[in-house]
Amino acid sequence: MYFKILIVICVCLSYSANGIPLESSEQDLKRYFDPRVIGGENTPEGYAPHMVAILVGDEVIQLILCGGSLVKLNLVMTAAHCLTDYEIMKEFFHGALGSNNWKTGGKRVEFQNYHIHPEWDPVLIKNDVGFISLTEKVELSEHLQLAAMNFDFVGEEASSVTGWGWVANWALTPFHLQVLEVTTLSPEDCADRVREASSVWWPNSPHVDPKIEICTLHSTGRGLCFGDSGSALMSKESGTQIGIASWAFTCALGVPDMYARISAFKDYIQSVMEQY
């Protein structure tokens, strides 16, 4: 039984948590496409009560696959690429919410259905939006709240991202939720920086589309990495969700990290939420 679990986890991490099955070598995938928070800090208790840890494994072996945000009492929003293997591995998927420590406290939940954006493109990494539903509704509390959506177009704005992803290259994932305060870039600055980074770090990287993606940047040594895909980008001003962690260059190189832009997917997000 343990061998089966380990094999399933390895397959899931190779194709979902690392990002997307791009037309690239396995080495390139590991090097260039593995979102996680590096350089963040431990969150105070009760911070980001919308956060959901999407886990894979069983009571013996559990690993963080992705983050997500609770948007309805029985619905979690995350990245589409986090769910591409759900159908064949659903018996190993489960979640944790209501606590900043995914290992202890809070509530364990089971999933029963999922939605992936109909125009999700795993090669160009576009329309990276998905949902996974819970088997039953949860009760809100001080430590468990719904994420409010922001459907306004966001330019440059102070924001933050939280997640349980790796805190250093090839390190173990933390149990305690991490937060990194970042700044969103203007569409022009985002596109220019990604174009420049592509020529140095990732010649065949996807292009950035500011209409449907939003970039953030902190500094070298602080950014997304493995395990944080699907986590919510929150506006510091309004406290609302403005993005979903999607893809990144090699961890924390001082170049932009990419998120699916919430405002670009208003119709799709609302259509799924209305079903729950």
Side-chain angles (χ1 to χ4, degrees):
M1 180 62 176
Y2 296 150
F3 286 108
K4 179 181 178 183
I5 293 171
L6 287 171
I7 291 171
V8 168
I9 290 175
C10 288
V11 171
C12 190
L13 289 177
S14 295
Y15 291 96
S16 291
N18 274 358
I20 316 302
L22 300 174
E23 295 181 354
S24 177
S25 69
E26 182 179 356
Q27 182 178 358
D28 286 341
L29 284 174
K30 290 180 178 178
R31 182 179 179 188
Y32 293 120
F33 197 82
D34 45 3
R36 56 190 174 251
V37 168
I38 286 182
E41 300 177 349
N42 284 351
T43 56
E45 190 58 35
Y47 190 91
H50 58 273
M51 280 297 296
V52 179
I54 299 176
L55 309 171
V56 62
D58 65 1
E59 67 278 0
V60 178
I61 301 174
Q62 297 182 79
L63 294 176
I64 285 282
L65 180 65
C66 285
S69 52
L70 188 69
V71 295
K72 297 289 289 286
L73 296 181
N74 57 345
L75 187 66
V76 174
M77 184 167 65
T78 186
H81 76 257
C82 294
L83 305 175
T84 54
D85 293 320
Y86 178 77
E87 194 61 42
I88 61 174
M89 296 179 55
K90 55 187 175 184
E91 64 180 300
F92 298 104
F93 272 73
H94 56 287
L97 43 71
S99 174
N100 287 24
N101 189 316
W102 68 264
K103 193 71 173 177
T104 62
K107 179 179 176 61
R108 292 294 186 269
V109 294
E110 301 297 327
F111 300 123
Q112 66 175 356
N113 194 19
Y114 72 106
H115 305 264
I116 290 178
H117 193 283
E119 297 180 10
W120 155 238
D121 188 331
V123 175
L124 298 179
I125 321 175
K126 296 297 177 278
N127 307 311
D128 197 4
V129 182
F131 294 85
I132 190 166
S133 66
L134 312 183
T135 55
E136 58 183 21
K137 293 183 177 181
V138 296
E139 293 186 8
L140 300 182
S141 67
E142 179 183 357
H143 292 166
L144 183 59
Q145 295 290 323
L146 302 180
M149 298 294 101
N150 187 340
F151 293 119
D152 295 328
F153 189 90
V154 174
E156 298 177 77
E157 189 169 313
S159 54
S160 65
V161 59
T162 48
W164 288 277
W166 287 8
V167 295
N169 283 322
W170 309 112
L172 294 176
T173 55
F175 292 142
H176 197 92
L177 186 66
Q178 302 290 296
V179 59
L180 180 66
E181 303 206 358
V182 293
T183 299
T184 60
L185 305 179
S186 70
E188 297 78 15
D189 192 17
C190 174
D192 289 344
R193 287 175 182 265
V194 170
R195 190 179 304 112
E196 181 180 351
S198 298
S199 66
V200 176
W201 300 106
W202 190 0
N204 296 316
S205 70
H207 71 283
V208 61
D209 184 347
K211 297 189 299 297
I212 62 173
E213 292 175 300
I214 187 168
C215 296
T216 68
L217 182 63
H218 189 289
S219 60
T220 301
R222 296 175 183 271
L224 293 180
C225 239
F226 184 73
D228 282 319
S229 294
S231 294
L233 177 67
M234 306 294 288
S235 165
K236 296 284 288 183
E237 179 179 348
S238 64
T240 55
Q241 183 169 352
I242 58 177
I244 303 169
S246 179
W247 62 279
F249 289 80
T250 303
C251 304
L253 286 174
V255 298
D257 297 324
M258 262 55 68
Y259 300 75
R261 186 183 286 274
I262 293 296
S263 62
F265 299 98
K266 178 180 178 179
D267 291 344
Y268 174 67
I269 290 172
Q270 290 183 334
S271 69
V272 175
M273 290 178 63
E274 287 171 359
Q275 300 177 39
Y276 297 87

